[in-house]
Amino acid sequence: MSYDQIPQLPADHHKAVDWDRVKRAARLQHPVRTAATLCAGAVLGPWWTSHAAMPLIKLYGAAAAIGLTAMTGVYASVVMTIGRIRPIVRRLAAVALVTAISGTLYAAPVRDLIAAWIMES
């Protein structure tokens, strides 16, 4: 590649990036907060198992518990992506998402269903 083929940027190209937004996004990816979110969700998982997943499994089967977890994931993801919501609410939505997933996976019928699906593949 010759020197003439390299695109030249304007003198104020550094202002094209919103550096404040990049810094905020980098701070949101803090590993301690992420670990705390995962731990809090995993600790609350057995509560989800006994109060949400197992009653649904007894009434409608394992697919209903998986469906409830999927819908919880959709709602939590929407809350987490809306910028106007307070950060603590977004963090609680992330904890709820981890709680729903881990709590559903703690339920034995769901684990058996997943194991059977893996063995069939």
Side-chain angles (χ1 to χ4, degrees):
M1 179 181 259
S2 70
Y3 182 76
D4 295 335
Q5 293 175 338
I6 299 173
Q8 297 297 318
L9 297 174
D12 63 345
H13 74 277
H14 62 278
K15 293 184 180 180
V17 176
D18 186 3
W19 289 110
D20 291 331
R21 185 174 179 188
V22 171
K23 288 177 189 176
R24 283 193 309 266
R27 278 187 294 222
L28 288 176
Q29 300 302 324
H30 198 272
V32 174
R33 287 187 223 160
T34 304
T37 301
L38 290 174
C39 289
V43 166
L44 292 172
W47 177 84
W48 180 273
T49 302
S50 62
H51 289 87
M54 289 308 286
L56 272 177
I57 290 170
K58 289 177 185 171
L59 289 175
Y60 303 107
I66 294 171
L68 176 65
T69 301
M71 289 308 301
T72 303
V74 168
Y75 293 140
S77 299
V78 167
V79 168
M80 288 185 294
T81 56
I82 295 175
R84 296 180 306 240
I85 295 179
R86 295 178 186 253
I88 189 70
V89 175
R90 288 196 305 254
R91 182 81 50 208
L92 289 174
V95 169
L97 175 62
V98 174
T99 300
I101 291 172
S102 64
T104 302
L105 291 176
Y106 287 159
V110 174
R111 285 194 316 260
D112 295 342
L113 181 68
I114 292 171
W117 177 72
I118 290 171
M119 294 303 286
E120 287 177 3
S121 298

